[in-house]
């Protein structure tokens, strides 16, 4: 790791363009795809979106959502399936998270 939390210019431009047209992969879909599903379809968009989602969960409002992300990965490490971990941590919060993420991503500035 060279710099923690770096804003990636190409991904930032792509995700902002995608959001301008309201064309994105829903958070629930993104969090529950297996690798073969993730690496099919609009892979570049999925990569940019997943990067921006991770950045959002770690950095938005000084890490406000980092505990959720940590809890999600702890459940996975404890043997929960992707869907079980997602449902336990994010399911009831997904609409608010998506709304906040979109606003966050639209305001990102490449370094």
């Amino acid at each position: 790791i060279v710099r923690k939390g770096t804003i990636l210019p190409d991904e930032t431009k792509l995700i902002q363009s995608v959001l301008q047209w309201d064309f994105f992969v829903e958070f629930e879909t993104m969090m529950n795809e297996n690798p073969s599903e993730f690496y099919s379809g609009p892979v570049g968009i999925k990569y940019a979106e997943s990067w921006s989602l991770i950045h959002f969960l770690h950095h938005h409002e000084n890490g406000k959502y980092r505990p959720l992300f940590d809890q999600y990965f702890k459940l996975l490490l404890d043997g929960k399936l992707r869907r079980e971990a997602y449902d336990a941590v994010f399911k009831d919060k997904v609409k608010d998270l998506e709304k906040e993420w979109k606003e966050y991503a639209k305001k990102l500035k490449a370094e």
Side-chain angles (χ1 to χ4, degrees), residues 5-23:
T6 300
I7 305 293
L8 302 177
D10 292 340
E11 285 74 8
T12 299
K13 289 176 191 171
L14 179 56
I15 200 60
Q16 289 173 342
S17 176
V18 165
L19 288 174
Q20 181 179 13
W21 295 100
D22 203 30
F23 177 78

Side-chain angles (χ1 to χ4, degrees), residues 2 19 26 28 30 32 35 41 44 46 70 77 79 86 89 102:
V2 177
L19 288 174
E26 291 183 358
E28 181 174 4
M30 183 72 62
N32 286 290
K46 289 179 180 183
D70 292 345
L77 288 170
Y86 170 84
V89 177
K102 287 178 189 178

